[in-house]
Amino acid sequence: MDILQGASHVGSTTSTHEPPSTSHHDVFTTTPINTAISSSAQHQSTPEHAETDLRDLSHLPQPPQLADHVIDLDLLSLDQLRREEAALAALVADLEASCISTSQTRQLVWQCAANLQHMTQQTFIAGGLLQLDHHWTSQERASVGVFAVHASDMLRCLQRYNVFNDAFHIWHEGPFGTINGLRLGRLPSRPVEWAEINAALGQATLLLTTVAQRAGMVFAKHVPVARGSYSKMLVAQGSGVKRKEYPLFNDGGFLQRQKFNTALKCLLECVDEAGRQAIVEEPSLRFPYKITRAKIGDLSIEVGGNDEQWTRALKYLLTHLKWLLAWVAKRYP
């Protein structure tokens, strides 16, 4: 706000009064002077009254002087003073508006600062949670890595593990070949019950059908049917004719021996056919015993002759099946 420095008297070019002989200069604020001038202009319109009113304002407190804008009242008329008052009022209004705008801007800045502080806190919290999740993930990853190593070891062990060997354990017990602990054959010195022999033949038939299904083999003439101790062989008689059944079990009677021997020969032919198909797929495969007609390793598969040779022939048959089992486990894991 500008400071007005006034003279001790104000004269007008049209006034008839003489100015006082002595003059002194006082400093007034804009607001008291403008108020006094406005009041004087309302009551008296002559310059003499304006001069008297200005002298009466000398008792007001004097503001500090500003050297940048000094107005000499001797040089200004009443209209000029009013214009100066209006200009100063407009300046005050602009300053007040600027102050309000500055206050609003300050409030906005403080609000932005508060929001930024809140965002910073939330960022630190999120960063802590992320670091904690990373720690947990690292631990879980390490645990999964250990489990993966263990699973790989177990997989290698299982890959080396032959399920067929457990399902069909072929071994020997003295002169007898055994499958799953069941002896196959009989000797005069060590007689074996026919129930055990029938069960062993049922296991051998099941092994042959399992190998055929695993390798996708189809037998040309005979079809083995695994039914435990009452397994049988189906023999084709021709197109459109029902297949004939031959039992792979015996009770030691003479009447059933011929059909039983026929079933044994059909079983041996199926084993030979499966071996030939395996050799086609893997030419390096060689079986230890040769099968020709009803003989394996030059020993007859039929019962009723020499029990020792028949028992050895059945042992050779189980050996042939064991080779087929090993080939299937390797070829079709």
Side-chain angles (χ1 to χ4, degrees):
M1 184 179 293
D2 296 333
I3 306 300
L4 301 179
Q5 182 179 5
S8 61
H9 63 276
V10 177
S12 175
T13 55
T14 59
S15 176
T16 58
H17 297 280
E18 293 292 333
S21 58
T22 60
S23 63
H24 58 276
H25 298 278
D26 298 328
V27 179
F28 303 94
T29 61
T30 303
T31 303
I33 294 176
N34 292 335
T35 305
I37 293 174
S38 300
S39 177
S40 176
Q42 292 177 359
H43 296 285
Q44 296 179 357
S45 60
T46 60
E48 290 82 3
H49 291 87
E51 179 180 356
T52 303
D53 293 334
L54 288 175
R55 290 196 188 98
D56 293 338
L57 297 175
S58 60
H59 66 280
L60 296 176
Q62 298 180 359
Q65 296 183 359
L66 296 178
D68 56 347
H69 189 71
V70 179
I71 300 175
D72 191 357
L73 297 180
D74 293 337
L75 302 178
L76 297 177
S77 64
L78 183 60
D79 293 336
Q80 290 176 340
L81 290 174
R82 288 177 178 175
R83 287 194 297 270
E84 185 68 20
E85 179 187 9
L88 292 175
L91 179 60
V92 170
D94 291 340
L95 291 176
E96 290 178 352
S98 178
C99 182
I100 294 174
S101 177
T102 303
S103 298
Q104 293 177 352
T105 304
R106 182 180 180 184
Q107 292 294 331
L108 182 61
V109 169
W110 278 107
Q111 184 66 30
C112 292
N115 293 337
L116 182 60
Q117 184 178 5
H118 179 71
M119 291 176 61
T120 303
Q121 293 177 354
Q122 294 297 325
T123 302
F124 277 112
I125 293 174
L129 293 176
L130 184 61
Q131 186 175 4
L132 184 60
D133 290 341
H134 176 70
H135 178 67
W136 287 346
T137 304
S138 299
Q139 290 184 346
E140 186 176 358
R141 182 179 180 182
S143 177
V144 170
V146 174
F147 179 76
V149 173
H150 177 69
S152 299
D153 295 339
M154 290 295 296
L155 178 61
R156 285 192 293 269
C157 292
L158 291 175
Q159 287 176 345
R160 293 192 299 266
Y161 196 75
N162 191 351
V163 180
F164 291 104
N165 286 335
D166 283 346
F168 305 100
H169 180 63
I170 297 176
W171 199 239
H172 62 87
E173 183 180 332
F176 300 101
T178 61
I179 177 170
N180 292 337
L182 299 172
R183 294 173 295 180
L184 190 57
R186 58 186 293 128
L187 295 174
S189 59
R190 300 179 62 180
V192 179
E193 297 293 335
W194 279 105
E196 184 177 353
I197 296 174
N198 295 335
L201 287 174
Q203 291 293 312
T205 306
L206 179 61
L207 170 57
L208 181 60
T209 56
T210 302
V211 169
Q213 291 177 0
R214 186 69 173 177
M217 298 178 180
V218 178
F219 299 109
K221 297 180 180 180
H222 314 303
V223 178
V225 179
R227 290 183 178 177
S229 298
Y230 299 94
S231 300
K232 59 184 177 180
M233 296 295 300
L234 299 180
V235 181
Q237 300 294 325
S239 60
V241 180
K242 185 178 179 181
R243 294 184 177 184
K244 192 173 182 180
E245 297 182 2
Y246 292 95
L248 268 175
F249 55 91
N250 191 13
D251 57 0
F254 178 78
L255 297 177
Q256 195 178 0
R257 182 179 300 177
Q258 185 177 0
K259 291 184 178 181
F260 179 66
N261 286 333
T262 303
L264 287 176
K265 289 189 290 185
C266 293
L267 178 64
L268 185 61
E269 290 180 8
C270 289
V271 172
D272 183 39
E273 185 177 354
R276 290 197 303 269
Q277 293 186 25
I279 292 175
V280 171
E281 294 187 19
E282 189 172 348
S284 61
L285 181 62
R286 293 291 182 271
F287 290 95
Y289 304 107
K290 185 178 180 180
I291 298 176
T292 55
R293 295 184 180 180
K295 293 183 178 181
I296 177 171
D298 295 332
L299 297 176
S300 177
I301 198 69
E302 296 180 354
V303 68
N306 190 331
D307 289 341
E308 184 178 353
Q309 292 183 359
W310 181 64
T311 301
R312 190 181 302 172
L314 292 177
K315 188 176 182 180
Y316 291 169
L317 175 65
L318 290 179
T319 304
H320 203 98
L321 288 173
K322 188 171 184 178
W323 279 67
L324 278 175
L325 192 64
W327 170 77
V328 168
K330 178 182 177 182
R331 185 75 175 180
Y332 303 96

